[in-house]
Amino acid sequence: MERAVALVVAAGRGERFGGARPKQYETLAGRPLLHHGLAAFAGHPAIAGVRAVIHPDDRALYESAAEGLALLDPVPGGANRQDSARLGLESLEELAPERVLIHDGARPLLPAEVIDRVLQALDRTRGAVAALPVTDTLKREHDGMIADTVARQGLWRAQTPQGFHYPAILAAHRAAAGAELTDDAAVAERAGLPVALVEGSPRNLKVTTPEDLARAEAILTGAGGGAQETRSASGFDVHRFGPGDHVNLCGLRIPHDRALLGHSDADVALHALTDALLGALGAGDIGLHFPPTDPRWRGADSAVFLRNANERVAARGGRIVNVDVTVICEAPKLAPHRAHMVARLAELLDLAPERVNVKATTTEGLGFTGRGEGIAAQASATLCLPRRG
Ligand code: MG
């Protein structure tokens, strides 16, 4: 394992937040917000050291955020985010790390898997950024009216950590000093460094407003300081067989002598599960959010639909208690794939595998599934959500 160091940039003043102190020191689940991001790196086995970049006025606030954590000494930041990142990188020179992960101190809920994914990508490229695909429709505004709908295909929302080979990003930052770029990936791009996109997490939200802080609190404590309620719903879907050599089920490609037909990749199990999650949220169904008339979803990887539903759960401050999927068909035989299906769903939902169940059954030769005309799937999902109203 190459030696990797984390640089947590937390020197901002957080004017948009409007609190009595910079937002990274507001209280989240009983500790300063910054503590949580620092702890995510300090507790990760592949991270050799963690350094924060702070505002010189915040030393006392930082000490309380760092309490109980083994960290490198903090260094003072600069006039803006880019300067602060560069100063932090300069300060690491004496440690000569091979890799550095730069993280925004206002992102407190960083899953270890996201750190893993960024580090793994750095085995094959010099830059890698955690990000999520854009799923909302994007509009350009002019004078309060919609001027244009922006094609979102290929668009991602960049998160942090953003990881790089250390000498390359240090040189890129030195060359870009004064350029006012919005993230470190932009600094790397400017220097011509290749930067990969890796899957971030809906949990990994950036706290910009007091509402974001409340959401983070709800996610972290699972309580949100208020009453919780349990909600469940089911989903059902059918796709018919046509010519082909594989079917997509639970996000896996399974060889078969026919394929399922559909506008997207026809993953009937992911469709049923997406509908179960949307149902439990009271958020309609998959067709409402991803209309089959929309050419954007032709051949789409249905994982996008499931992740979007999962993101909606996180946005409500909720969490998934468990999901259960039943796939109904005579063939292909699914028993050999069951464990992989569970693992794939757990990965897509950022969930422990013990909270995911997949079953397969036949209809004893009866009906359309019995005649081998198609595959049906049903799913149920149980959520824990902060009570509203
Ligand atoms: Mg469907």
PDB file of all heavy atoms in Angstrom, residues 188-208:
ATOM      1  N   ALA A 188      -6.075  20.088 -11.009  1.00  0.00           N
ATOM      2  CA  ALA A 188      -5.414  18.967 -11.692  1.00  0.00           C
ATOM      3  C   ALA A 188      -5.709  18.982 -13.189  1.00  0.00           C
ATOM      4  O   ALA A 188      -4.812  18.777 -14.013  1.00  0.00           O
ATOM      5  CB  ALA A 188      -5.876  17.647 -11.075  1.00  0.00           C
ATOM      6  N   GLU A 189      -6.980  19.234 -13.529  1.00  0.00           N
ATOM      7  CA  GLU A 189      -7.373  19.275 -14.951  1.00  0.00           C
ATOM      8  C   GLU A 189      -6.572  20.346 -15.687  1.00  0.00           C
ATOM      9  O   GLU A 189      -6.121  20.154 -16.816  1.00  0.00           O
ATOM     10  CB  GLU A 189      -8.870  19.605 -15.087  1.00  0.00           C
ATOM     11  CG  GLU A 189      -9.807  18.516 -14.589  1.00  0.00           C
ATOM     12  CD  GLU A 189     -11.192  19.088 -14.239  1.00  0.00           C
ATOM     13  OE1 GLU A 189     -11.691  19.947 -14.986  1.00  0.00           O
ATOM     14  OE2 GLU A 189     -11.733  18.705 -13.186  1.00  0.00           O
ATOM     15  N   ARG A 190      -6.421  21.501 -15.032  1.00  0.00           N
ATOM     16  CA  ARG A 190      -5.694  22.616 -15.635  1.00  0.00           C
ATOM     17  C   ARG A 190      -4.251  22.213 -15.965  1.00  0.00           C
ATOM     18  O   ARG A 190      -3.677  22.669 -16.950  1.00  0.00           O
ATOM     19  CB  ARG A 190      -5.710  23.792 -14.649  1.00  0.00           C
ATOM     20  CG  ARG A 190      -5.099  25.096 -15.155  1.00  0.00           C
ATOM     21  CD  ARG A 190      -5.245  26.152 -14.064  1.00  0.00           C
ATOM     22  NE  ARG A 190      -4.691  27.439 -14.452  1.00  0.00           N
ATOM     23  CZ  ARG A 190      -3.406  27.770 -14.358  1.00  0.00           C
ATOM     24  NH1 ARG A 190      -2.531  26.890 -13.900  1.00  0.00           N
ATOM     25  NH2 ARG A 190      -2.997  28.975 -14.723  1.00  0.00           N
ATOM     26  N   ALA A 191      -3.715  21.311 -15.112  1.00  0.00           N
ATOM     27  CA  ALA A 191      -2.337  20.868 -15.327  1.00  0.00           C
ATOM     28  C   ALA A 191      -2.263  19.671 -16.272  1.00  0.00           C
ATOM     29  O   ALA A 191      -1.185  19.117 -16.495  1.00  0.00           O
ATOM     30  CB  ALA A 191      -1.710  20.507 -13.983  1.00  0.00           C
ATOM     31  N   GLY A 192      -3.446  19.255 -16.772  1.00  0.00           N
ATOM     32  CA  GLY A 192      -3.461  18.125 -17.705  1.00  0.00           C
ATOM     33  C   GLY A 192      -3.359  16.764 -17.047  1.00  0.00           C
ATOM     34  O   GLY A 192      -3.091  15.764 -17.716  1.00  0.00           O
ATOM     35  N   LEU A 193      -3.598  16.703 -15.721  1.00  0.00           N
ATOM     36  CA  LEU A 193      -3.569  15.402 -15.040  1.00  0.00           C
ATOM     37  C   LEU A 193      -4.861  14.651 -15.319  1.00  0.00           C
ATOM     38  O   LEU A 193      -5.930  15.246 -15.281  1.00  0.00           O
ATOM     39  CB  LEU A 193      -3.464  15.592 -13.518  1.00  0.00           C
ATOM     40  CG  LEU A 193      -2.166  16.130 -12.947  1.00  0.00           C
ATOM     41  CD1 LEU A 193      -2.300  16.272 -11.434  1.00  0.00           C
ATOM     42  CD2 LEU A 193      -1.033  15.173 -13.275  1.00  0.00           C
ATOM     43  N   PRO A 194      -4.774  13.339 -15.555  1.00  0.00           N
ATOM     44  CA  PRO A 194      -6.004  12.556 -15.706  1.00  0.00           C
ATOM     45  C   PRO A 194      -6.675  12.383 -14.332  1.00  0.00           C
ATOM     46  O   PRO A 194      -5.996  12.065 -13.354  1.00  0.00           O
ATOM     47  CB  PRO A 194      -5.503  11.215 -16.244  1.00  0.00           C
ATOM     48  CG  PRO A 194      -4.076  11.130 -15.812  1.00  0.00           C
ATOM     49  CD  PRO A 194      -3.554  12.526 -15.674  1.00  0.00           C
ATOM     50  N   VAL A 195      -7.966  12.612 -14.277  1.00  0.00           N
ATOM     51  CA  VAL A 195      -8.699  12.493 -13.009  1.00  0.00           C
ATOM     52  C   VAL A 195      -9.907  11.581 -13.231  1.00  0.00           C
ATOM     53  O   VAL A 195     -10.766  11.879 -14.061  1.00  0.00           O
ATOM     54  CB  VAL A 195      -9.188  13.867 -12.498  1.00  0.00           C
ATOM     55  CG1 VAL A 195      -9.867  13.710 -11.139  1.00  0.00           C
ATOM     56  CG2 VAL A 195      -8.028  14.855 -12.399  1.00  0.00           C
ATOM     57  N   ALA A 196      -9.959  10.476 -12.484  1.00  0.00           N
ATOM     58  CA  ALA A 196     -11.059   9.520 -12.619  1.00  0.00           C
ATOM     59  C   ALA A 196     -12.219   9.921 -11.714  1.00  0.00           C
ATOM     60  O   ALA A 196     -12.019  10.540 -10.666  1.00  0.00           O
ATOM     61  CB  ALA A 196     -10.574   8.120 -12.243  1.00  0.00           C
ATOM     62  N   LEU A 197     -13.432   9.546 -12.132  1.00  0.00           N
ATOM     63  CA  LEU A 197     -14.609   9.702 -11.274  1.00  0.00           C
ATOM     64  C   LEU A 197     -14.861   8.366 -10.587  1.00  0.00           C
ATOM     65  O   LEU A 197     -14.902   7.336 -11.254  1.00  0.00           O
ATOM     66  CB  LEU A 197     -15.835  10.068 -12.121  1.00  0.00           C
ATOM     67  CG  LEU A 197     -15.833  11.461 -12.720  1.00  0.00           C
ATOM     68  CD1 LEU A 197     -16.873  11.554 -13.826  1.00  0.00           C
ATOM     69  CD2 LEU A 197     -16.129  12.496 -11.632  1.00  0.00           C
ATOM     70  N   VAL A 198     -15.015   8.384  -9.269  1.00  0.00           N
ATOM     71  CA  VAL A 198     -15.410   7.163  -8.571  1.00  0.00           C
ATOM     72  C   VAL A 198     -16.681   7.462  -7.783  1.00  0.00           C
ATOM     73  O   VAL A 198     -16.989   8.622  -7.511  1.00  0.00           O
ATOM     74  CB  VAL A 198     -14.309   6.616  -7.623  1.00  0.00           C
ATOM     75  CG1 VAL A 198     -13.015   6.385  -8.381  1.00  0.00           C
ATOM     76  CG2 VAL A 198     -14.076   7.555  -6.461  1.00  0.00           C
ATOM     77  N   GLU A 199     -17.398   6.392  -7.450  1.00  0.00           N
ATOM     78  CA  GLU A 199     -18.701   6.573  -6.822  1.00  0.00           C
ATOM     79  C   GLU A 199     -18.562   7.164  -5.421  1.00  0.00           C
ATOM     80  O   GLU A 199     -17.895   6.595  -4.563  1.00  0.00           O
ATOM     81  CB  GLU A 199     -19.405   5.220  -6.771  1.00  0.00           C
ATOM     82  CG  GLU A 199     -20.848   5.323  -6.366  1.00  0.00           C
ATOM     83  CD  GLU A 199     -21.483   3.929  -6.273  1.00  0.00           C
ATOM     84  OE1 GLU A 199     -20.956   2.980  -6.880  1.00  0.00           O
ATOM     85  OE2 GLU A 199     -22.494   3.824  -5.570  1.00  0.00           O
ATOM     86  N   GLY A 200     -19.203   8.311  -5.191  1.00  0.00           N
ATOM     87  CA  GLY A 200     -19.262   8.916  -3.869  1.00  0.00           C
ATOM     88  C   GLY A 200     -20.398   8.297  -3.069  1.00  0.00           C
ATOM     89  O   GLY A 200     -20.731   7.126  -3.260  1.00  0.00           O
ATOM     90  N   SER A 201     -20.983   9.071  -2.162  1.00  0.00           N
ATOM     91  CA  SER A 201     -22.096   8.554  -1.366  1.00  0.00           C
ATOM     92  C   SER A 201     -23.089   9.673  -1.096  1.00  0.00           C
ATOM     93  O   SER A 201     -22.682  10.812  -0.828  1.00  0.00           O
ATOM     94  CB  SER A 201     -21.577   8.000  -0.041  1.00  0.00           C
ATOM     95  OG  SER A 201     -22.656   7.787   0.849  1.00  0.00           O
ATOM     96  N   PRO A 202     -24.384   9.348  -1.127  1.00  0.00           N
ATOM     97  CA  PRO A 202     -25.396  10.363  -0.770  1.00  0.00           C
ATOM     98  C   PRO A 202     -25.225  10.866   0.660  1.00  0.00           C
ATOM     99  O   PRO A 202     -25.595  11.989   0.984  1.00  0.00           O
ATOM    100  CB  PRO A 202     -26.727   9.624  -0.917  1.00  0.00           C
ATOM    101  CG  PRO A 202     -26.431   8.405  -1.705  1.00  0.00           C
ATOM    102  CD  PRO A 202     -24.984   8.066  -1.487  1.00  0.00           C
ATOM    103  N   ARG A 203     -24.638  10.027   1.528  1.00  0.00           N
ATOM    104  CA  ARG A 203     -24.407  10.446   2.922  1.00  0.00           C
ATOM    105  C   ARG A 203     -23.382  11.573   3.012  1.00  0.00           C
ATOM    106  O   ARG A 203     -23.378  12.333   3.969  1.00  0.00           O
ATOM    107  CB  ARG A 203     -23.830   9.267   3.736  1.00  0.00           C
ATOM    108  CG  ARG A 203     -24.834   8.279   4.235  1.00  0.00           C
ATOM    109  CD  ARG A 203     -24.081   7.131   4.916  1.00  0.00           C
ATOM    110  NE  ARG A 203     -23.364   7.567   6.109  1.00  0.00           N
ATOM    111  CZ  ARG A 203     -23.841   7.463   7.342  1.00  0.00           C
ATOM    112  NH1 ARG A 203     -25.029   6.944   7.547  1.00  0.00           N
ATOM    113  NH2 ARG A 203     -23.131   7.871   8.368  1.00  0.00           N
ATOM    114  N   ASN A 204     -22.507  11.612   2.036  1.00  0.00           N
ATOM    115  CA  ASN A 204     -21.334  12.483   2.089  1.00  0.00           C
ATOM    116  C   ASN A 204     -21.708  13.915   1.707  1.00  0.00           C
ATOM    117  O   ASN A 204     -21.098  14.532   0.848  1.00  0.00           O
ATOM    118  CB  ASN A 204     -20.279  11.900   1.142  1.00  0.00           C
ATOM    119  CG  ASN A 204     -18.942  12.611   1.208  1.00  0.00           C
ATOM    120  OD1 ASN A 204     -18.617  13.263   2.203  1.00  0.00           O
ATOM    121  ND2 ASN A 204     -18.174  12.505   0.143  1.00  0.00           N
ATOM    122  N   LEU A 205     -22.720  14.448   2.367  1.00  0.00           N
ATOM    123  CA  LEU A 205     -23.240  15.762   1.989  1.00  0.00           C
ATOM    124  C   LEU A 205     -22.359  16.877   2.536  1.00  0.00           C
ATOM    125  O   LEU A 205     -21.628  16.701   3.519  1.00  0.00           O
ATOM    126  CB  LEU A 205     -24.683  15.916   2.477  1.00  0.00           C
ATOM    127  CG  LEU A 205     -24.944  15.838   3.974  1.00  0.00           C
ATOM    128  CD1 LEU A 205     -24.939  17.234   4.597  1.00  0.00           C
ATOM    129  CD2 LEU A 205     -26.284  15.182   4.232  1.00  0.00           C
ATOM    130  N   LYS A 206     -22.455  18.024   1.857  1.00  0.00           N
ATOM    131  CA  LYS A 206     -21.696  19.192   2.278  1.00  0.00           C
ATOM    132  C   LYS A 206     -22.611  20.083   3.092  1.00  0.00           C
ATOM    133  O   LYS A 206     -23.707  20.448   2.637  1.00  0.00           O
ATOM    134  CB  LYS A 206     -21.184  19.935   1.051  1.00  0.00           C
ATOM    135  CG  LYS A 206     -20.348  21.161   1.389  1.00  0.00           C
ATOM    136  CD  LYS A 206     -19.703  21.709   0.144  1.00  0.00           C
ATOM    137  CE  LYS A 206     -18.845  22.912   0.485  1.00  0.00           C
ATOM    138  NZ  LYS A 206     -18.106  23.384  -0.685  1.00  0.00           N
ATOM    139  N   VAL A 207     -22.187  20.437   4.291  1.00  0.00           N
ATOM    140  CA  VAL A 207     -23.012  21.282   5.150  1.00  0.00           C
ATOM    141  C   VAL A 207     -22.765  22.744   4.761  1.00  0.00           C
ATOM    142  O   VAL A 207     -21.681  23.283   4.966  1.00  0.00           O
ATOM    143  CB  VAL A 207     -22.695  21.050   6.640  1.00  0.00           C
ATOM    144  CG1 VAL A 207     -23.465  22.050   7.508  1.00  0.00           C
ATOM    145  CG2 VAL A 207     -23.041  19.624   7.035  1.00  0.00           C
ATOM    146  N   THR A 208     -23.791  23.345   4.166  1.00  0.00           N
ATOM    147  CA  THR A 208     -23.702  24.736   3.728  1.00  0.00           C
ATOM    148  C   THR A 208     -24.713  25.601   4.468  1.00  0.00           C
ATOM    149  O   THR A 208     -24.463  26.766   4.734  1.00  0.00           O
ATOM    150  CB  THR A 208     -23.953  24.818   2.203  1.00  0.00           C
ATOM    151  OG1 THR A 208     -23.039  23.931   1.553  1.00  0.00           O
ATOM    152  CG2 THR A 208     -23.722  26.214   1.671  1.00  0.00           C
TER     153      THR A 208
END
